Amino acid sequence: MQTFKETGLPEEILSAIGELGYETPTPIQSKTIPEILNYGNDLIALAQTGTGKTGAFGLPVIPQIERESKNVQALILCPTRELCLQITKDLKDYSKNYRDLYITPVYGGAEIRTQIKSLKRGTHIVVGTPGRMNDLINRKAIELGEVRWLILDEADEMLNMGFKDDLESIMAQTPEWRQTLLFSATMPQEIARMSKNYMQDPVEISVGKKNQGAEKVDHHYYMVQAHDRYRALKRIVDVTPDVYGIIFCRTRQETKDIADKLMADGYNADALHGDLSQAQRDLVMHRFRKKHLQLLVATDVAARGIDVNDLTHVINYNLPDDIEVYIHRSGRTGRAGKEGVSVSIIHSREMHRIKAIEKIAKKAFERKMVPKADEICEKQLFHFLERVGQTELEESSPVNAVLPAVYEKLAEMDKEQLIKQFVAAEFNRFMEYYKDAPDLNIYKEESGKKGRRDRGNVKFSRLFLNIGKTDKLTSGEVIGLINNNMKGVTVKIGKIELLRNFSFIEVDKEYEQEVIGKLNKAKLKGKKVSLEVASPKPARRKNKRR
Ligand code: AMP
């Protein structure tokens, strides 16, 4: 294995990265550092976040900057503010031994005049988001005629976000003799076209073993009925008490709903989506980075540029439509040499999408079964015991004051019995929560349609409704009534029996009280809805001929 010294980096850099704990170059760094230090060819590098790509371009560029000049010599474009700040921080760490080297981040959503001021003072490396960069160019606040290195980081993301025109007009401001370094996790057609138009004979770098980060991710999927997704999510989280991860949702609304439900159910979670102000986003991210939050529920857009290295899990609450998005999501775990798990919760008709990802992304998925009550309870119990073992008891703790009385109370029990009682008390608590929890797994991988009468694993509760056929009630209106009043959850509805003056409706037993509570405040057909649990249906008697 090559060492950093062998790549040709100078002592100032070697000592700075030594302090950061970097021992050997990552595969992408081994390839790019000598190329950038010695040859000056344009480069296209396939690399995901987490593979050390900031070092891959930053480490060889920094020592080549002419610090006595005040011109911008390296321009790094990246998709988001978060990534922009992260790259700036990393570059500052790498260049700590070059005190006269200046790096300036410029990004949208912040005061432009402050950024213009710091550019005017003179800077060597600018890290920017495309929209803000273009704005600065239009205001003639930045001069790019001396840029030697143009670096496009997460180029595919920038194109996905619609920055194509911005990128092209920025590139047009930089000299033709520049060295262009393009980093991208995926290689869609658009990138190939861009490299043809804006790069000269680029050297393509694909790290033999793709990238180290992605290799360390296990891909799991759980197959459940669509309406069991949330219940499955809770169980997956419950059986993984040390989870620290991102739950990806498709829409802002879904992100909010899932985060709200998780919080209401006592999980340490919060949401990150586009409706939050920058200050709110920063606060959520701060809590997540500090691990005060275990679960971040986010949309793909909001999660772009999040740079958190030790995520244990990425959870796809829904599979994304685009396979590249899956690759991006799963690349957020298993980073910096750690192991990670990418979990997908799918329903039976989504199996073909798993197969498509396996084929295109060349990743094997493993089916896992949604854990059942006893498995979760056991896991939680051992987690609890571990926490008990790690609890520190300081001399000044007020617990000490009550201990003598506690000893006295428990004096009759011997050690074995004490353990038994405590464990049983804790175990019963978990068991109580999971009592009657159904098996959520689908055992048959179905290829196609599902019977209309299929009742899945749902236990139904039969409710009495005070409105019936004489009110011209239809089944569609009953379904509408439930859906409109139970926003954010999909309540499975069973049989609907419309009778003359009233009706019976079957709903998922788990939501029985919530449905009754919400619908009893509603009106239908000009009447106030009255809904209650129906008395059990009398057993049907067969018409026997005598
Ligand atoms: P990046 O792909 O640039 O986001 O880097 C992912 C993480 O790996 C960052 O926390 C880096 O500080 C870290 N890293 C980068 N290069 C190395 C290296 N050669 N050895 C150890 N950690 C590294």
Side-chain angles (χ1 to χ4, degrees):
M1 194 187 284
Q2 202 183 21
T3 62
F4 272 118
K5 205 170 181 147
E6 284 162 353
T7 62
L9 289 171
E11 195 46 48
E12 288 86 343
I13 295 275
L14 295 179
S15 89
I17 58 178
E19 282 178 38
L20 293 174
Y22 294 10
E23 285 169 6
T24 47
T26 63
I28 190 89
Q29 290 166 355
S30 301
K31 298 234 175 170
T32 58
I33 294 173
E35 277 286 344
I36 299 171
L37 281 180
N38 305 318
Y39 304 109
N41 290 315
D42 284 354
L43 290 185
I44 297 187
L46 252 185
Q48 295 186 339
T49 36
T51 52
K53 67 187 165 59
T54 313
F57 59 78
L59 297 174
V61 162
I62 288 168
Q64 298 187 74
I65 297 281
E66 288 173 12
R67 302 192 301 282
E68 53 288 357
S69 148
K70 283 209 148 189
N71 295 323
V72 177
Q73 293 162 58
L75 172 62
I76 299 155
L77 296 173
C78 61
T80 62
R81 170 185 188 270
E82 277 82 7
L83 191 57
C84 177
L85 291 172
Q86 184 63 43
I87 293 173
T88 306
K89 182 187 170 299
D90 287 350
L91 297 185
K92 285 189 173 165
D93 287 343
Y94 300 156
S95 61
K96 64 176 282 214
N97 295 321
Y98 299 113
R99 299 212 172 270
D100 47 352
L101 188 140
Y102 296 100
I103 304 167
T104 309
V106 294
Y107 46 84
E111 182 59 66
I112 197 165
R113 271 173 302 180
T114 325
Q115 294 178 353
I116 293 176
K117 246 191 230 161
S118 63
L119 289 172
K120 286 255 153 67
R121 279 198 292 270
T123 186
H124 302 112
I125 301 179
V126 172
V127 190
T129 51
R132 177 51 59 100
M133 268 309 299
N134 224 358
D135 205 351
L136 290 165
I137 291 171
N138 292 336
R139 292 174 188 231
K140 304 214 177 329
I142 189 164
E143 169 52 49
L144 300 176
E146 297 297 323
V147 165
R148 273 177 73 190
W149 295 276
L150 171 66
I151 297 150
L152 305 172
D153 195 12
E154 299 206 357
D156 50 353
E157 282 288 343
M158 289 196 281
L159 292 179
N160 282 343
M161 289 168 80
F163 284 135
K164 181 166 174 281
D165 293 344
D166 282 321
L167 289 179
E168 288 183 342
S169 64
I170 298 165
M171 283 196 278
Q173 300 293 316
T174 60
E176 274 188 21
W177 47 263
R178 68 175 188 251
Q179 184 179 14
T180 308
L181 314 171
L182 184 151
F183 290 80
S184 188
T186 56
M187 276 296 150
Q189 286 278 309
E190 198 61 43
I191 299 262
R193 207 169 312 133
M194 208 161 108
S195 70
K196 215 164 155 199
N197 294 341
Y198 296 96
M199 298 173 82
Q200 288 172 11
D201 304 324
V203 174
E204 286 189 27
I205 296 190
S206 59
V207 187
K209 273 170 61 199
K210 271 285 148 71
N211 53 59
Q212 219 183 10
E215 290 297 315
K216 297 224 170 196
V217 180
D218 286 331
H219 300 264
H220 296 167
Y221 73 91
Y222 293 83
M223 196 191 285
V224 298
Q225 305 278 3
H227 60 85
D228 280 335
R229 243 180 243 281
Y230 180 68
R231 288 201 283 190
L233 171 70
K234 281 204 303 186
R235 291 209 205 164
I236 295 165
V237 171
D238 285 347
V239 86
T240 327
D242 289 321
V243 65
Y244 174 54
I246 304 181
I247 300 171
F248 282 99
C249 292
R250 268 208 269 236
T251 61
R252 289 175 193 189
Q253 192 56 47
E254 189 177 60
T255 304
K256 283 185 210 169
D257 291 343
I258 299 303
D260 285 349
K261 281 164 72 178
L262 284 172
M263 285 188 268
D265 287 339
Y267 294 86
N268 186 8
D270 209 340
L272 191 72
H273 52 72
D275 287 349
L276 302 180
S277 68
Q278 192 59 53
Q280 288 171 315
R281 282 176 58 106
D282 287 348
L283 183 65
V284 173
M285 276 316 297
H286 178 75
R287 289 170 57 217
F288 188 54
R289 282 213 176 86
K290 291 269 171 217
K291 300 202 175 160
H292 297 160
L293 269 186
Q294 254 190 305
L295 295 165
L296 184 71
V297 190
T299 55
D300 289 296
V301 175
R304 275 179 186 144
I306 290 181
D307 192 73
V308 178
N309 277 324
D310 38 5
L311 294 184
T312 60
H313 286 70
V314 158
I315 301 178
N316 298 281
Y317 189 69
N318 281 296
L319 275 181
D321 293 327
D322 191 342
I323 292 173
E324 281 169 16
V325 174
Y326 179 87
I327 297 173
H328 265 287
R329 287 182 180 180
S330 59
R332 297 197 174 278
T333 181
R335 296 169 63 163
K338 300 210 172 84
E339 286 169 11
V341 184
S342 172
V343 168
S344 300
I345 306 175
I346 65 164
H347 62 72
S348 55
R349 276 159 289 164
E350 285 180 312
M351 197 52 218
H352 69 280
R353 300 178 65 194
I354 294 283
K355 294 256 185 314
I357 300 175
E358 284 188 320
K359 205 162 144 209
I360 294 175
K362 303 210 170 22
K363 299 185 190 310
F365 277 74
E366 190 184 336
R367 174 162 187 190
K368 293 278 178 186
M369 301 316 264
V370 181
K372 300 196 188 116
D374 46 355
E375 196 183 329
I376 296 172
C377 294
E378 198 179 311
K379 204 53 183 261
Q380 291 278 356
L381 177 67
F382 280 96
H383 185 246
F384 167 75
L385 293 178
E386 221 162 85
R387 272 207 341 257
V388 169
Q390 287 166 359
T391 304
E392 283 178 25
L393 188 58
E394 285 164 14
E395 264 181 43
S396 56
S397 167
V399 170
N400 290 317
V402 290
L403 277 180
V406 174
Y407 287 137
E408 202 181 312
K409 192 151 183 85
L410 301 176
E412 307 250 299
M413 284 193 239
D414 62 16
K415 182 179 166 192
E416 207 169 303
Q417 197 185 355
L418 250 178
I419 293 175
K420 228 193 249 172
Q421 293 292 128
F422 271 94
V423 167
E426 201 54 31
F427 200 67
N428 291 349
R429 200 166 61 81
F430 298 130
M431 278 313 259
E432 180 60 27
Y433 181 73
Y434 270 106
K435 130 176 132 204
D436 296 334
D439 181 357
L440 301 181
N441 295 292
I442 295 178
Y443 289 93
K444 215 169 55 180
E445 294 187 3
E446 295 163 61
S447 54
K449 295 152 246 142
K450 203 151 170 36
R452 285 171 63 88
R453 299 178 63 84
D454 179 89
R455 294 167 64 88
N457 301 311
V458 184
K459 276 195 185 153
F460 283 105
S461 168
R462 190 159 173 263
L463 305 180
F464 168 89
L465 173 69
N466 62 327
I467 306 173
K469 276 186 186 165
T470 45
D471 304 293
K472 298 204 167 44
L473 181 68
T474 64
S475 302
E477 286 169 320
V478 174
I479 296 170
L481 177 73
I482 296 173
N483 289 343
N484 293 338
N485 287 284
M486 296 291 295
K487 291 230 167 71
V489 285
T490 318
V491 179
K492 181 97 176 162
I493 303 168
K495 228 189 235 166
I496 299 175
E497 294 167 74
L498 302 174
L499 303 174
R500 265 175 70 85
N501 297 322
F502 50 85
S503 308
F504 291 109
I505 319 165
E506 284 184 337
V507 297
D508 186 342
K509 191 165 176 50
E510 189 162 313
Y511 294 106
E512 173 194 280
Q513 287 309 316
E514 215 177 319
V515 170
I516 292 177
K518 293 226 163 106
L519 267 61
N520 272 330
K521 294 190 188 116
K523 272 189 157 185
L524 185 66
K525 297 286 181 191
K527 277 189 172 175
K528 203 175 160 305
V529 169
S530 168
L531 197 69
E532 57 191 79
V533 177
S535 39
K537 200 175 178 180
R540 200 192 287 173
R541 266 187 286 149
K542 284 207 175 120
N543 277 336
K544 278 188 190 160
R545 269 173 202 252
R546 290 187 183 235

